[in-house]
């Protein structure tokens, strides 16, 4: 079966009402990355950091998957699909996508500050100071902060190397190492980008940029890949 790898970012959840990071009005306009999304921030002011992610978690839990998430899940009917997302929401899963790899962690999970292999599901929307792992140390959001390693890259890179079709949707491709995944797509793979903005990066000539919002762009994408549907 043809392998499709979807690399998604905040823009795929924009039509669900969740803010992107770098657009005008985006999250990083109202918050400083250094105050809420770094290990230093956590040491300096864990209350501010937990409050920030508690709010993100609440908003994500109230949001619903949009048409773009659903179209991506429907691709599974005809293709072997892996979604590699930078998003920490669970809207791909709630739309029905089976193979979702979260590069930057997951809002719904916490992890031990003592032993990073201890990962828990957060019940309700709040992680609180005083919530502890089974070894007695404080739990932190299970989020990859700026300056931290991205362990899921190890799983992502081989997926890219086997891709026949790569779809980038709703990401500014400004944050590495995630952005580097697109550059790892095999030369003979078909590459598409869905994003309503002009991207501030140089794209190889054969990349098709569908300059639309995620839901509309997915409709075009589905038509464009129709010829590959039965070529296995
Ligand atoms: N449909 C599709 N794309 C959209 C839409 C939409 N409705 N609205 C905005 N976009 C596009 C923007 O044009 C932009 O290119 O989504 C992209 C969002 O880019 P960013 O805000 O930079 O988000 P992202 O690329 O996911 O950020 C990467 O940075 O701070 C972090 O850890 C955070 O995972 C995040 C990472």
């Amino acid at each position: 079966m043809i392998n499709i790898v979807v690399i998604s970012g905040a823009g795929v959840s924009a039509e669900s009402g969740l803010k992107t990071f770098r657009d005008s009005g985006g999250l990083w306009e109202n918050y400083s990355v250094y105050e809420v999304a770094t290990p230093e921030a956590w040491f300096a002011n864990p209350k501010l950091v937990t409050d920030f992610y508690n709010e993100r978690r609440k908003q994500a839990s109230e949001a619903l998957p949009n048409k773009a998430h659903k179209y991506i899940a429907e691709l599974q009917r005809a293709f072997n699909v892996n979604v590699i997302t930078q998003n920490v929401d669970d809207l791909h899963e709630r739309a029905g996508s089976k193979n979702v790899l979260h590069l930057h962690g997951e809002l719904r999970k916490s992890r031990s500050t003592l032993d990073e292999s201890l990962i828990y599901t957060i019940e309700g929307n709040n992680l609180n100071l005083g919530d502890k792992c089974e070894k007695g140390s404080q739990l932190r959001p299970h989020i990859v902060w700026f300056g931290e390693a991205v362990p899921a890259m190890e799983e992502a890179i081989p997926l890219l190397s086997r891709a026949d079709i790569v779809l980038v949707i709703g990401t500014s491709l400004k944050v590495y190492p995630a952005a580097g995944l697109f550059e790892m797509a095999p030369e003979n793979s078909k590459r598409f980008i869905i994003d309503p903005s002009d991207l501030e990066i140089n794209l190889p000539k054969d990349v098709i940029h569908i300059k639309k919002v995620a839901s509309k762009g997915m409709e075009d994408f589905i038509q464009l890949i129709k010829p590959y549907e039965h070529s296995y």
Side-chain angles (χ1 to χ4, degrees):
M1 215 189 260
I2 293 272
N3 288 318
I4 299 187
V5 172
V6 179
I7 301 172
S8 74
V12 77
S13 297
E15 289 169 83
S16 296
L18 299 180
K19 283 189 171 169
T20 62
F21 294 94
R22 295 174 184 78
D23 289 305
S24 134
L27 277 173
W28 295 151
E29 231 172 59
N30 294 313
Y31 295 90
S32 153
V33 169
Y34 303 101
E35 283 173 11
V36 295
T38 61
E40 292 77 14
W42 171 254
F43 288 120
N45 195 343
K47 169 91 173 74
L48 184 69
V49 174
T50 43
D51 284 352
F52 174 75
Y53 287 103
N54 286 348
E55 183 55 30
R56 304 275 78 70
R57 197 173 299 110
K58 177 169 177 289
Q59 287 176 7
S61 71
E62 287 165 1
L64 294 172
N66 65 49
K67 275 189 179 172
H69 297 108
K70 290 179 190 163
Y71 284 135
I72 291 168
E74 280 170 18
L75 293 172
Q76 294 170 147
R77 289 192 200 152
F79 300 96
N80 183 28
V81 184
N82 281 280
V83 179
I84 303 174
T85 187
Q86 294 164 86
N87 297 347
V88 292
D89 66 50
D90 58 358
L91 295 177
H92 282 301
E93 288 93 333
R94 281 159 59 199
S97 282
K98 301 276 178 250
N99 306 319
V100 184
L101 181 64
H102 286 270
L103 286 179
H104 294 165
E106 293 173 72
L107 277 174
R108 290 247 61 94
K109 295 183 180 168
S110 65
R111 77 164 182 262
S112 166
T113 44
L114 182 73
D115 176 350
E116 61 184 32
S117 71
L118 296 175
I119 296 167
Y120 304 87
T121 299
I122 297 173
E123 302 302 335
N125 285 332
N126 287 343
L127 175 67
N128 298 304
L129 296 183
D131 289 348
K132 303 220 166 115
C133 75
E134 65 215 53
K135 293 185 177 170
S137 84
Q138 175 65 44
L139 291 171
R140 56 163 274 182
H142 183 47
I143 301 285
V144 174
W145 287 323
F146 284 90
E148 293 190 313
V150 185
M153 282 294 286
E154 244 179 75
E155 223 178 299
I157 292 167
L159 294 176
L160 253 294
S161 69
R162 291 194 294 272
D164 301 299
I165 297 174
V166 179
L167 168 66
V168 168
I169 181 164
T171 169
S172 58
L173 290 174
K174 282 190 180 154
V175 174
Y176 280 80
L181 283 172
F182 187 49
E183 296 156 18
M184 290 174 199
E187 275 200 11
N188 59 354
S189 60
K190 308 282 170 228
R191 290 173 292 174
F192 301 84
I193 294 190
I194 298 176
D195 199 297
S197 309
D198 286 320
L199 291 158
E200 294 164 28
I201 51 166
N202 289 326
L203 293 177
K205 271 206 218 76
D206 59 323
V207 175
I208 297 177
H209 181 184
I210 303 169
K211 209 173 154 193
K212 294 188 178 175
V213 294
S215 60
K216 297 283 172 223
M218 277 305 296
E219 286 168 7
D220 291 11
F221 173 74
I222 287 163
Q223 292 310 316
L224 286 166
I225 61 165
K226 274 249 148 52
Y228 303 101
E229 219 169 278
H230 301 293
S231 60
Y232 53 87

